[in-house]
Amino acid sequence: MHTCFAEIIRKLTGRLLFPKHLEKLRAKHVFAAREKVERMPQTPPFAAMFDSSGYNRNLYQSKEDGCGGLYYHDNNLLSGSLEALIQHLVPSVDYYPDRTYIFTFLLSSRLFMHPYELMAKVCHLCIEQQRLSEPGQDKNRIRKIAPKILQLLTEWTETFPYDFRDERMMRNLKELAQRITSGDEMYRKNVQQLLQNLLRKLATVSQYEEVLAKINATSTDRLTVLKTKPQSIQRDIITVCNDPYTLAQQLTHIELERLNYIGPEEFVQAFVQKDPLDNDKSCYGDRKKSRNLEAYVEWFNRLSYLVATEICMPVKKKHRARVIEYFIDVARECFNIGNFNSLMAIISGMNMSPVSRLKKTWAKVKTAKFDILEHQMDPSSNFYNYRTALRGATQRSLTAHSNREKIVIPFFSLLIKDIYFLNEGCANRLPNGHVNFEKFWELAKQVSEFMSWKQVECPFERDRKILQYLLTIPVFSDDALYLASYESESPENHIEKDRWKTLRFVSKVTHINK
């Protein structure tokens, strides 16, 4: 059972992800199809089409707003009735919607209706307006409209493939595709290619989710009750990988793989609520689908706890200090790579109370490099330093000549919070009932940037042994971390002494019950 987005947000704002020095956090308020169908309208590169000016109809639009219901200001689409916006999505013989509009509307429309309902409406409009249901259709007309309808379906299936895990979506897709091919056989190959690509994507994500389930099961099966600090039950990270640069690269492998499976719609579906103009249904809120997003948040948590576990586990002080310095080097290399998510997870793990209280251990650590990293990720001024570094990494990515330079892995929890507060801070509907499309341009702009980041292929060689360790080795719970910490360096006050006494008692009782 998956946690709801409200629970994720609580996790993101709690001690789990933002320990001690990060509690100040107060976040403020591409797709061309791989193979262009013949005679498709050409548009600029996906990322370049989003700018502060929004969507300019003079640049891309060739259809007059005869249907009404759309409101522009300085040629920028600001709002419209839901029906008019749906109509604006549907191509005709002399019109094809701009790709930024397609992405933005497909992304945001799920706040108002199920994707399968939108697909049904689009199919109905295509069939009725283009007279695809009439016998003896004009082949010349079919050849003018069919490539445009196929292009729209291609963009939908390429960018939002998870929508089509719903059988109702697949039925509508196949029905419309069948209408096109029955009108002219020349499009059968294009339709078959579209469906094959879609089914391949869906099979791949199903396999990925099965792998995730196995990893979680393996980790759970190996997790034993940690009464004390048994050194025999697990190796330490330095034994498995003594090179911090290699570990940073393997962390980047995990980050990019998990990022790649997050669908853009998950950012929106995670906070879908009831549409105030819809009295019958809680638009998509009953079937929130953000499992890959949630799995990525859980990975951040796991890495933070893994770091804390590795530090608290060694008996000797010099060994603990060595592990701290090792993770400082890993974190620095993550920063150099552009892997800000692993960087912040490592910093979070090192700032958990069971680790930060180890004063004698920290006294043996050269912390200058760590201080620099903490400064870079300082949450003050709404993470100003981090956002500056992120912009630098993004600029490097845009001009990169290699995949190594293209890597940008954002601090994901902050990205989610930015999107969450954008959604919370602006109404979906205007007082006149129109959809607030100005809001959705900004939402699409943020998500589209993420989409370009997640498509980068990891340039580093995979090390299966290291990856297996990172993903499945058991990690200490909060109580086990405190117990290990107190046994490494004795409690300093009555509160710590009482807690230590309680933890030891619970540990013994648990061992007896076993």
Side-chain angles (χ1 to χ4, degrees), residues 179-444:
R179 298 268 190 180
I180 292 171
T181 54
S182 64
D184 196 323
E185 282 292 316
M186 69 180 288
Y187 297 110
R188 185 173 298 278
K189 185 178 179 180
N190 299 107
V191 168
Q192 288 175 343
Q193 187 67 46
L194 183 153
L195 291 173
Q196 286 172 5
N197 290 342
L198 174 59
L199 292 174
R200 193 181 304 118
K201 280 176 175 283
L202 296 181
T204 301
V205 75
S206 293
Q207 291 169 2
Y208 166 73
E209 289 169 357
E210 288 173 8
V211 169
L212 275 188
K214 288 178 182 176
I215 288 172
N216 292 337
T218 301
S219 181
T220 301
D221 290 342
R222 294 173 63 185
L223 185 59
T224 57
V225 178
L226 300 172
K227 309 170 292 298
T228 56
K229 292 187 301 178
Q231 302 301 298
S232 60
I233 68 163
Q234 76 179 65
R235 298 163 293 167
D236 64 90
I237 189 69
I238 297 178
T239 303
V240 175
C241 177
N242 62 6
D243 180 13
Y245 300 99
T246 300
L247 189 74
Q249 292 173 359
Q250 298 310 304
L251 288 173
T252 303
H253 260 296
I254 296 172
E255 299 280 356
L256 285 174
E257 180 181 63
R258 299 207 170 191
L259 273 184
N260 185 53
Y261 283 99
I262 298 173
E265 71 281 357
E266 294 191 49
F267 291 100
V268 175
Q269 286 168 183
F271 47 69
V272 166
Q273 295 176 350
K274 183 177 175 62
D275 182 3
L277 296 190
D278 192 336
N279 297 321
D280 298 323
K281 53 191 179 223
S282 57
C283 173
Y284 218 26
D286 55 334
R287 308 171 16 117
K288 291 179 182 175
K289 294 182 178 178
S290 54
R291 66 186 74 174
N292 297 309
L293 185 150
E294 291 169 24
Y296 193 49
V297 171
E298 288 163 5
W299 155 248
F300 181 101
N301 294 351
R302 172 178 170 78
L303 180 54
S304 295
Y305 274 83
L306 176 62
V307 169
T309 299
E310 294 286 344
I311 294 171
C312 290
M313 196 169 53
V315 174
K316 294 185 178 180
K317 183 166 47 183
K318 66 178 181 179
H319 290 164
R320 293 193 298 274
R322 182 186 172 206
V323 174
I324 290 175
E325 290 182 339
Y326 172 84
F327 275 117
I328 291 172
D329 287 338
V330 174
R332 186 172 64 166
E333 182 60 14
C334 285
F335 180 85
N336 292 335
I337 289 171
N339 181 358
F340 298 106
N341 202 56
S342 288
L343 166 62
M344 184 58 90
I346 293 170
I347 291 175
S348 296
M350 295 172 80
N351 278 277
M352 286 183 177
S353 296
V355 177
S356 62
R357 66 168 297 278
L358 299 172
K359 295 183 176 63
K360 295 175 183 177
T361 302
W362 280 96
K364 288 188 167 292
V365 175
K366 296 175 182 177
T367 59
K369 289 184 287 187
F370 185 61
D371 293 340
I372 293 172
L373 292 173
E374 282 200 308
H375 176 72
Q376 288 291 343
M377 305 304 284
D378 184 354
S380 62
S381 301
N382 193 22
F383 283 90
Y384 176 80
N385 293 341
Y386 158 70
R387 293 183 191 276
T388 301
L390 180 66
R391 283 195 297 273
T394 302
Q395 191 59 41
R396 179 188 68 183
S397 177
L398 292 174
T399 58
H401 299 292
S402 67
N403 280 341
R404 170 68 177 77
E405 295 174 319
K406 289 180 182 177
I407 296 172
V408 181
I409 302 173
F411 174 27
F412 195 66
S413 300
L414 188 58
L415 174 64
I416 294 175
K417 290 195 72 172
D418 285 347
I419 293 174
Y420 176 77
F421 285 115
L422 169 63
N423 181 65
E424 290 294 299
C426 303
N428 293 335
R429 298 265 193 183
L430 300 178
N432 65 356
H434 271 201
V435 172
N436 181 6
F437 216 73
E438 192 172 16
K439 166 184 174 175
F440 296 126
W441 286 128
E442 185 59 37
L443 177 65

Side-chain angles (χ1 to χ4, degrees), residues 63-236:
K63 181 177 74 171
E64 292 301 320
D65 297 316
C67 60
L70 297 179
Y71 174 71
Y72 291 82
H73 181 67
D74 291 338
N75 288 319
N76 296 320
L77 176 60
L78 299 185
S79 69
S81 68
L82 188 57
E83 289 303 317
L85 292 168
I86 294 171
Q87 179 66 62
H88 201 54
L89 181 70
V90 179
S92 64
V93 171
D94 58 355
Y95 165 75
Y96 187 79
D98 168 52
R99 204 165 75 227
T100 55
Y101 178 79
I102 294 172
F103 178 77
T104 303
F105 187 66
L106 291 181
L107 178 70
S108 59
S109 62
R110 62 202 69 232
L111 288 166
F112 307 98
M113 62 197 308
H114 291 259
Y116 81 85
E117 293 173 311
L118 176 61
M119 173 61 88
K121 285 179 177 289
V122 168
C123 289
H124 175 75
L125 288 171
C126 286
I127 291 169
E128 292 300 311
Q129 292 178 9
Q130 306 309 322
R131 302 193 292 277
L132 297 180
S133 59
E134 294 179 7
Q137 304 163 62
D138 180 354
K139 283 201 172 184
N140 287 330
R141 183 179 178 82
I142 287 291
R143 287 177 182 177
K144 287 180 180 178
I145 187 60
K148 295 181 179 180
I149 295 176
L150 281 174
Q151 177 67 7
L152 178 63
L153 296 178
T154 299
E155 296 207 34
W156 197 334
T157 55
E158 286 280 330
T159 312
F160 299 93
Y162 300 169
D163 285 351
F164 295 86
R165 299 179 95 173
D166 187 328
E167 267 303 313
R168 294 167 294 190
M169 289 287 289
M170 288 297 285
R171 279 199 301 271
N172 282 320
L173 174 64
K174 289 176 180 177
E175 180 190 353
L176 185 54
Q178 191 274 329
R179 298 268 190 180
I180 292 171
T181 54
S182 64
D184 196 323
E185 282 292 316
M186 69 180 288
Y187 297 110
R188 185 173 298 278
K189 185 178 179 180
N190 299 107
V191 168
Q192 288 175 343
Q193 187 67 46
L194 183 153
L195 291 173
Q196 286 172 5
N197 290 342
L198 174 59
L199 292 174
R200 193 181 304 118
K201 280 176 175 283
L202 296 181
T204 301
V205 75
S206 293
Q207 291 169 2
Y208 166 73
E209 289 169 357
E210 288 173 8
V211 169
L212 275 188
K214 288 178 182 176
I215 288 172
N216 292 337
T218 301
S219 181
T220 301
D221 290 342
R222 294 173 63 185
L223 185 59
T224 57
V225 178
L226 300 172
K227 309 170 292 298
T228 56
K229 292 187 301 178
Q231 302 301 298
S232 60
I233 68 163
Q234 76 179 65
R235 298 163 293 167
D236 64 90

